[in-house]
């Protein structure tokens, strides 16, 4: 499909599965397979360690502030100097709002694919506490100009798109919402047919959790749900993938599974996630929520909080979304209903299995191609 080199860029190397929650890696792989992306730019942040130290020291001496090197023109230009771009016109799709660095060549076309804006990162995720005020303002000003000059801004969720339009004053006509896919190697996953399971009783009911940042992602709330279910006489396990056991609170329902490397231990990851009755994500802040997509891709319905970009990770009918104000008892009510009606649960799980293709990176890339060729729009609307 590419008529000119279309390059994916991020702060890091999109060929490396460990870059930015695996998202660039899987987007690049699916994009290349479909002929939508030409390649990704391998930017090595480790090569800037010495420069970072010198920059921070100089910034502190001249401004009295510390932090924000990765947002500075110095860092961005240094990263981009590591690669040789093809001659002539080039198109970029960037996961980072300040890449490619300014000034842009006249024959560059730049679009963005973002989970959150810098303003959201600074204000909602506490990143602003580690970045000097001067650098925050400079970065936000440059981000605004980049959005104004961009061809398209694609957001993974409506919360990011809303920020682009409302916080930066960008025309909604060039802002689209296209969710990402499950960060799993499709070639090594069970097919929809293989995901079909025989109905069994939900005892104990298994609530699944995936994520290292367990406090922000709502594990304490999920344990409160487990407490409520236990008080109703319902046996429950909370299975946790990601954190070390030693880092987790002591709770009788907790079943820590530790970190499972999806790159080298995919069969184990698949088996453990498929053992969940529900994937659960009750974050206090969440730009997107890849774990929901991973659960759905493996045939597991999800229970999640309606916050940030989470709604875009739960296609209609494949999960229950709860308001941030809902108490643990509201979630326990839903779980109890399925425990009492296992046939209803398994019919729901079969519905999830039938729609797993909706949450793949191949589907995400197909939607990008439709926007690029003008055959379909996914424009943001209030």
């Amino acid at each position: 499909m590419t008529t000119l080199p279309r390059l994916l860029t991020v702060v890091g190397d999109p060929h490396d599965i460990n870059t930015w929650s695996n998202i660039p890696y899987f987007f690049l792989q699916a994009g290349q397979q479909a002929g939508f992306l030409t390649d990704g730019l391998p930017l090595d942040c480790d090569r800037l360690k010495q420069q970072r130290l010198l920059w921070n020291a100089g910034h502190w001496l001249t401004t009295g502030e510390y932090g924000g090197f990765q947002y500075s023109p110095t860092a961005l230009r240094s990263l981009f100097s590591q690669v040789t771009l093809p001659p002539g016109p080039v198109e970029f799709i960037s996961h980072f709002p300040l890449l490619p660095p300014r000034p842009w060549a006249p024959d560059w076309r730049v679009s963005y694919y973002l989970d959150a804006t810098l303003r959201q990162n600074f204000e909602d995720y506490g990143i602003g506490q580690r970045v000097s005020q001067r650098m925050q303002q400079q970065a936000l000003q440059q981000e605004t100009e980049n959005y104004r000059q961009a061809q398209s801004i694609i957001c993974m969720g409506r919360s990011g798109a809303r920020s682009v339009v409302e916080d930066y004053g960008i025309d909604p006509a060039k802002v689209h919402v296209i969710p990402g896919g499950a960060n799993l190697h499709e070639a090594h996953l069970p097919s929809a047919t293989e995901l079909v399971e025989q109905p069994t009783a939900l005892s104990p009911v298994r609530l699944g959790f995936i994520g290292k940042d367990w406090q922000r992602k709502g594990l304490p709330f999920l344990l409160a749900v487990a407490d409520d279910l236990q008080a109703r006489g319902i046996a429950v396990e909370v299975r946790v993938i990601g954190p070390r056991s030693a880092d987790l609170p002591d709770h009788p329902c907790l079943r820590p599974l530790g970190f499972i490397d999806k790159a080298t231990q995919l069969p184990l990851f698949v088996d453990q996630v498929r053992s969940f009755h529900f994937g659960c994500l009750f974050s206090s802040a969440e730009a997107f929520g890849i774990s929901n997509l991973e659960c759905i891709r493996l045939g597991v319905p999800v229970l999640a909080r309606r916050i940030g970009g989470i709604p875009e990770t739960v296609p209609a009918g494949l999960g229950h979304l709860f308001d941030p104000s809902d108490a643990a008892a509201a979630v326990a009510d839903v779980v109890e209903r399925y425990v009492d009606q296992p046939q209803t649960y398994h019919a729901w799980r079969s519905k999830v299995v039938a729609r797993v293709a909706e949450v793949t990176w191949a589907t995400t890339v197909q939607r990008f191609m439709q926007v690029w060729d003008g055959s379909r729009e996914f424009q943001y609307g209030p």
Side-chain angles (χ1 to χ4, degrees):
M1 177 181 176
T2 56
T3 57
L4 71 163
R6 185 175 294 133
L7 305 175
L8 183 66
T9 189
V10 66
V11 178
D13 185 354
H15 301 91
D16 182 352
I17 195 171
N18 296 311
T19 297
W20 188 43
S21 302
N22 318 142
I23 289 172
Y25 175 85
F26 284 100
F27 183 38
L28 177 59
Q29 298 299 309
Q32 287 183 307
Q33 185 173 358
F36 178 69
L37 292 172
T38 306
D39 204 351
L41 298 181
L43 308 182
D44 186 354
C45 300
D46 288 342
R47 289 170 57 182
L48 305 186
K49 286 182 178 179
Q50 185 67 29
Q51 192 173 11
R52 178 190 292 270
L53 291 173
L54 293 173
W55 184 91
N56 276 321
H59 196 59
W60 172 261
L61 291 172
T62 56
T63 68
E65 295 182 324
Y66 185 86
F69 172 70
Q70 65 269 36
Y71 304 102
S72 69
T74 299
L76 299 171
R77 286 195 293 265
S78 294
L79 276 176
F80 244 60
S81 70
Q82 297 174 5
V83 295
T84 300
L85 298 175
V90 179
E91 181 175 3
F92 298 94
I93 296 180
S94 178
H95 281 307
F96 186 62
L98 303 184
L99 286 178
R102 290 293 205 169
W104 295 346
D107 55 0
W108 285 5
R109 294 169 55 91
V110 179
S111 295
Y112 293 97
Y113 188 32
L114 310 170
D115 64 341
T117 63
L118 291 185
R119 183 177 296 277
Q120 288 177 302
N121 282 322
F122 290 153
E123 296 179 0
D124 297 342
Y125 293 90
I127 293 176
Q129 299 174 13
R130 305 191 298 271
V131 180
S132 73
Q133 287 296 317
R134 184 186 301 266
M135 287 308 306
Q136 287 187 50
Q137 291 303 314
Q138 180 177 316
L140 291 171
Q141 290 172 6
Q142 187 60 69
E143 181 185 21
T144 302
E145 180 61 24
N146 289 1
Y147 290 161
R148 288 172 179 165
Q149 298 300 319
Q151 300 293 315
S152 298
I153 301 139
I154 316 295
C155 296
M156 295 183 186
R158 295 179 64 82
S159 66
R162 186 178 303 113
S163 178
V164 171
V165 172
E166 297 180 3
D167 295 336
Y168 297 81
I170 303 304
D171 183 357
K174 69 175 182 180
V175 181
H176 301 261
V177 177
I178 301 179
N183 287 344
L184 301 169
H185 283 290
E186 278 294 319
H188 304 295
L189 297 183
S191 66
T193 302
E194 293 169 324
L195 289 173
V196 175
E197 297 182 347
Q198 294 300 315
T200 58
L202 279 67
S203 182
V205 62
R206 296 184 291 272
L207 307 178
F209 178 93
I210 305 171
K212 290 184 178 180
D213 192 354
W214 59 269
Q215 292 176 307
R216 176 179 62 80
K217 288 180 177 289
L219 181 58
F221 180 85
L222 188 58
L223 293 175
V225 173
D227 289 336
D228 195 296
L229 290 169
Q230 277 199 314
R232 304 181 192 200
I234 297 173
V236 58
E237 292 181 355
V238 178
R239 297 193 170 189
V240 179
I241 296 176
R244 299 184 312 160
S245 299
D247 295 334
L248 295 173
D250 186 24
H251 193 282
C253 295
L254 202 60
R255 302 293 183 270
L257 302 172
F259 173 70
I260 302 176
D261 189 335
K262 292 181 292 184
T264 60
Q265 299 173 291
L266 184 58
L268 176 61
F269 181 84
V270 169
D271 288 345
Q272 292 295 350
V273 173
R274 289 184 65 188
S275 76
F276 300 168
H277 288 117
F278 306 93
C280 302
L281 185 61
F282 293 97
S283 302
S284 57
E286 195 70 56
F288 190 52
I290 287 287
S291 64
N292 285 339
L293 300 175
E294 293 171 342
C295 288
I296 291 170
R297 173 57 187 88
L298 296 174
V300 179
V302 299
L303 310 174
R305 185 169 279 163
R306 188 183 289 105
I307 197 167
I310 286 179
E312 278 69 46
T313 67
V314 187
L318 305 188
H320 285 277
L321 290 173
F322 298 85
D323 289 333
S325 60
D326 285 341
V331 180
D333 288 342
V334 171
V335 174
E336 183 179 25
R337 186 163 68 247
Y338 286 112
V339 170
D340 291 341
Q341 302 173 25
Q343 294 297 329
T344 300
Y345 169 79
H346 287 288
W348 184 30
R349 187 153 175 150
S350 295
K351 181 179 180 180
V352 174
V353 168
R355 295 172 57 187
V356 295
E358 295 180 27
V359 297
T360 64
W361 276 105
T363 295
T364 296
V365 170
Q366 182 182 40
R367 291 169 177 166
F368 265 82
M369 294 169 72
Q370 290 171 331
V371 170
W372 256 243
D373 67 21
S375 63
R376 186 176 176 187
E377 293 184 342
F378 299 89
Q379 285 184 341
Y380 165 76

